Amino acid sequence: MGKEIRKDEASLGLFSGALVGWINGDIWVKLTAFIWGAGYLARKQIVKGIFSILLELTALYFTFAFAIDQIKMLPTLGDAEYSDPVYNPVTMQNEVPPYDNSFLILLFGVGSIIILIGFFLVWVSIIRESRTLEIRAKEGRPINNFYQDIKDMFDKKFHLTLLAFPCLGIITFTIVPLIFMICIAFTNYDKQHLPPAKLFDWVGFANFKSIFTNGLTDSFGYAFAKILTWTLIWAVFATFTTYIGGIMLSLLINNKNTKLKKMWRTFFVISIAVPQFVSLLLVRNFFRNSGIVNTILGEWGVTEFLGKIGLVDASLGYIPFLTDPNWIKAMVIIINIWIGVPYLMLIASGVLMNIPAELYESARIDGANAFQTFRKITMPYMLSVTGPYLITSFVGNINNFNVIYLLTKDVYTTQDQLLANARGSEVDLLVTWLYKLTRDYTNYKMASVIGIMIFVVCSVFTLIAFNMSMKGDKEGEFKI
Amino acid sequence: MKKALAIILSVLMVVAMFAGCTNTPETPDVDTPVVDEKPVVELTLWCSETEAWQGVMKELVDEFIAANADKATITVNIGAQSEATAKDTVLSDIEAAADVFFFSDDQLTELVNAKALQPVHDVELISSANAAGAVDAASVDGTLYAYPATASNGYFIYYDKTVISEEQIASFDGILEACTAAGKYFGFDGMGGWVSPFCFFSDYEISLNADGTTNCNWNTAGGTDVLAGMQALFASEGIKLEASDESIAAMKAGDCAGFVNGTWNYAPMVEIFGENLACAKMPTFTVNGEQVQCGSMAGFKMAGVSAYSENVGWAMELAKFVTSEDAQARVFAAAGEGPANIAAASSDAVAENLALAALSEQAAYATAQSKLVGGNYWSPASTLHELAKAEIADLQAALDEAVAGITAPIA
């Protein structure tokens, strides 16, 4: 009988297991729900029992001394407005009456909820473990003492020990800030509501509404549609130009007729070694209206020629590489090729060297020409190995802050008044737009909404792409 | 062994993540009156990153510490924070702002609205010592919020007087005529809406409301004529729309005969043009065949005290000290920026400065930035300048859109 229960219960999840265990358990297990260490103490796990009780006391103290107050303020995000400080000439310091800081309330509130969830999970797992111990005791199987438990953590359960630290880190530094930032998208945290001097408040979906619509005076909807479109165009071009360029380059370098392979490879790797922002700011100066590239092209007569065929306004006297909306779009893509190709060359070199030589040999015997072997052997092999890389680099390009921001900063002014009114420009990506909104205009609420939108775009794309690339096991297909 | 290593590594990972956090200094107990003992005061001062400013401020701070050695043990950390972007840094974390920071007057309203500034206590002293315009630029609704430091943050014309004559410099037509005749050009930088669309600063209304929004009537009757005049000017021969540093490079090469700029480029101008350097107020430009004087933005730099300073009293003392008559005279000597202090501005050295003379000539047509535009002005205005460089299909629509952006509510 006992064994059956154990089996049944062991197959249950954390919550249902704890609930069933608590219903079926003896008085000690039932008591554990109220006094956390009871179950352990009953099975002679004294240290664990005492720790659990201490933990419960901490949880109770935290809840009633801190968390409840914070969570209670969450719905209003504070109501005591900051009032002007009073100067005390004796201490030479300002005295400020107590005030609420919406930012801290939101931060502590969200933090408290997450910590309470943590305590809840601990509580549930303690109940479940107490029940497991009860069953072990009834079956007469040995029960670990504290020392053995610790030993287990470094032996049978070593993976848990190892994972604990990174998980803690991810929760503290990724999940909590993420939840916090998502919350801001539902508030009016902006220049008009900057804590500590002002309070901000919940506004529901108003910010989402304004990113999809155009108000009388703001043009966020217009800017969002334009910038999103360009972001996607950019991501497609930036990803595929560097991908194909990198493969071509590594084919060229790895070609058996190429001399000094290592030297060529080193040349391209050097461009990785120079910090990206240095080379980008330098390139930006090269391509300015009076920059070195324009000077040279002007002397060679290229500018004049482009003027004649109508690619450049002839009266300008220079090529507006970074000041014309169409030119700059082409330029950022081209400059990105130069930045991105070396990375792909390295990856492609590795992959290409791993393609079995027999494949090429048999293809040659079958009479395939160079293009056919590239299309039927090299590319499928490349794609099967670098598929996931392609997807991550697409997502990376959606958020490719450096190239766009550094190349256009202080140089490009948008010529679209509606974009200008929403602080965007034709070459802005969602992420650079977001940066400008936060850094230059302290518009955190809209930045947060855009952040969520970027996440939605990236995750939708990644899910679709991974599903398609993983479906049908492409690598297996290729091998047959 | 391997396990121990694995644990150490994973702990290190977490520690590394915490490395980004810094200790926040403990708040000293406010209740303890510091009367008997010499208090320990730590202050932070943000000023321009330029060598001139950093050097002068270092000297002044050392003197301030020495002068107050009997009252308190003071340490002052000097940070580099351009006046032009001080507001952005301050607003991103108001409580972490420096105790004293320099900023330009266009940021005043937003800083005051965010309650970042401690109102000045020695109003009488500061107001009487500094020029009325500078004091006005540092005030919002009659309350003085900052200590005026310089009064030369505006713009005017630097030119080569062998190319452009004194009569010609009075109008854009004359300037372009002279430049074309000499085979040179006149450089013009819109400076992100600060200089251009200059044409509208004279006859049209643009002003700042208390809530930080901007009034603007550029799209009313006649506005399209001004915009058309601007377009005509930009399309004329002899003018080149480019960044200031490009003009300076062209001046060295002998291609550029002058440009619109500010006092911060005084030294390189003296170096390039030498004896031939001249400065003048902004010229007139042609609208519908008539000459209209260009308006301009006058700019002032000032020192603000953070309302969140833990030692706000000492911070105010420091701000007063680094904007005193002597301090402003030294800033002028080192950085060439004109003093707001009346006594300092009346010195012979200031009177002889060509740039400051041109600025005071322009003063009649200039308005302080802090009274003129709010934060929503810059982006639409610089785009309007950009648009004026080319054909515009519908001038009225272009102005309407720009005005909608400029007058948009603050968000």
Side-chain angles (χ1 to χ4, degrees), chain A residues 268-298:
Chain A
F268 285 101
V269 172
I270 284 175
S271 72
I272 298 180
V274 181
Q276 217 180 50
F277 81 95
V278 176
S279 40
L280 283 172
L281 288 176
L282 214 60
V283 168
R284 187 188 72 176
N285 286 346
F286 286 169
F287 284 100
R288 286 177 74 169
N289 291 343
S290 62
I292 188 160
V293 177
N294 257 315
T295 316
I296 293 173
L297 292 182

Side-chain angles (χ1 to χ4, degrees), chain A residues 312-371:
Chain A
V312 169
D313 182 356
S315 64
L316 282 181
Y318 56 82
I319 305 171
F321 288 116
L322 301 179
T323 48
D324 179 89
N326 297 318
W327 273 97
I328 195 170
K329 282 181 179 175
M331 285 313 295
V332 289
I333 290 173
I334 291 168
I335 292 168
N336 182 62
I337 294 178
W338 170 71
I339 298 270
V341 151
Y343 291 95
L344 248 144
M345 180 207 70
L346 284 182
I347 294 173
S349 294
V351 176
L352 289 176
M353 282 181 212
N354 274 321
I355 301 182
E358 308 90 72
L359 285 176
Y360 287 110
E361 210 171 307
S362 50
R364 214 171 38 247
I365 291 166
D366 288 344
N369 61 25
F371 178 69

